[in-house]
Amino acid sequence: MSRFPTSLRLLADRAFESGPRTRALRRRVAEMVEDSAVLEVGCGFGANQPLCGPGYVGIDVDPAAVSEARRRVPGGTFLTWDLADRGPPAGRFDAALLCLTVHEASRPDRLLEEALNPAWPRLLILDFDPNLRGWLLLRESLLERGKLGPYRRLKLVDLCQRAGWRLRDTGPVGGLFRWWDFRCGGTP
């Protein structure tokens, strides 16, 4: 469940979607998932669904977010689903996508452990760059009040590699964000 009320998330989401950094992030999502069947973990209001190929399924633990996603993207597949409790939904997915999700989790390590599932060969993560310490500390002090600490301490690459996934590529996006492309085991 998100730490923010749905009305506040809606307002922040609309403002965030229109910014140049977010447009750069969305372009990167589109490039990474082009023509792929994607399971988006933490889909929020469904903003990434139009960027993905057929077979997209968005899951979120927040029923209000899923309801809003269904309203915004008629015909999209959105489920109220907790990956940690229920495992992956039925279907064949080319990749799991976590876009601006890991920093929201109260236990980002647990979220990643659940997302590192051999049911899909790729794990794509796009989130705030944890190396931008000054900006994250400002955000944390003004908005999050200490709740970004687990994300800032998370050793994302180490955790994924210990689970047998290999980092294929990574890079910055739009100044505030970073993307990581992991492959399961020996997947090219």
Side-chain angles (χ1 to χ4, degrees):
M1 190 75 64
S2 173
R3 294 187 292 259
F4 303 107
T6 301
S7 58
L8 182 59
R9 286 181 65 199
L10 274 170
L11 182 63
D13 192 47
R14 287 190 183 121
F16 193 67
E17 284 176 0
S18 63
R21 290 182 173 128
T22 304
R23 287 193 296 274
L25 184 72
R26 299 275 186 245
R27 278 193 303 275
R28 186 68 194 145
V29 169
E31 291 167 5
M32 292 175 79
V33 301
E34 184 178 19
D35 299 324
S36 297
V38 172
L39 173 66
E40 184 172 15
V41 179
C43 66
F45 303 129
N48 290 322
Q49 190 275 344
L51 306 173
C52 300
Y56 170 94
V57 174
I59 62 173
D60 203 299
V61 296
D62 184 351
V66 169
S67 177
E68 179 64 16
R70 289 177 181 150
R71 187 190 70 72
R72 286 185 182 198
V73 188
T77 304
F78 300 99
L79 306 170
T80 302
W81 198 277
D82 187 340
L83 193 62
D85 291 341
R86 299 174 72 182
R92 191 188 83 62
F93 301 102
D94 300 317
L97 170 66
L98 285 82
C99 184
L100 299 176
T101 303
V102 180
H103 79 274
E104 283 282 331
S106 58
R107 291 278 319 273
D109 54 338
R110 171 84 193 239
L111 173 66
L112 279 176
E113 288 166 3
E114 296 303 325
L116 294 167
N117 190 316
W120 41 80
R122 289 177 76 190
L123 176 62
L124 307 170
I125 302 171
L126 294 97
D127 217 311
F128 292 105
D129 189 334
N131 295 320
L132 296 175
R133 298 276 186 226
W135 187 86
L136 279 176
L137 287 173
L138 178 64
R139 177 183 164 89
E140 186 173 31
S141 64
L142 295 176
L143 301 172
E144 303 287 337
R145 297 195 174 88
K147 296 196 178 186
L148 282 176
Y151 176 65
R152 288 184 29 243
R153 289 189 298 274
L154 179 68
K155 304 291 186 218
L156 188 141
V157 173
D158 291 347
L159 189 146
C160 294
Q161 289 177 335
R162 278 196 314 272
W165 289 65
R166 63 183 177 78
L167 180 63
R168 181 170 175 260
D169 208 355
T170 185
V173 181
L176 295 178
F177 308 111
R178 185 159 201 86
W179 60 272
W180 298 266
D181 184 350
F182 291 96
R183 304 298 168 107
C184 183
T187 307

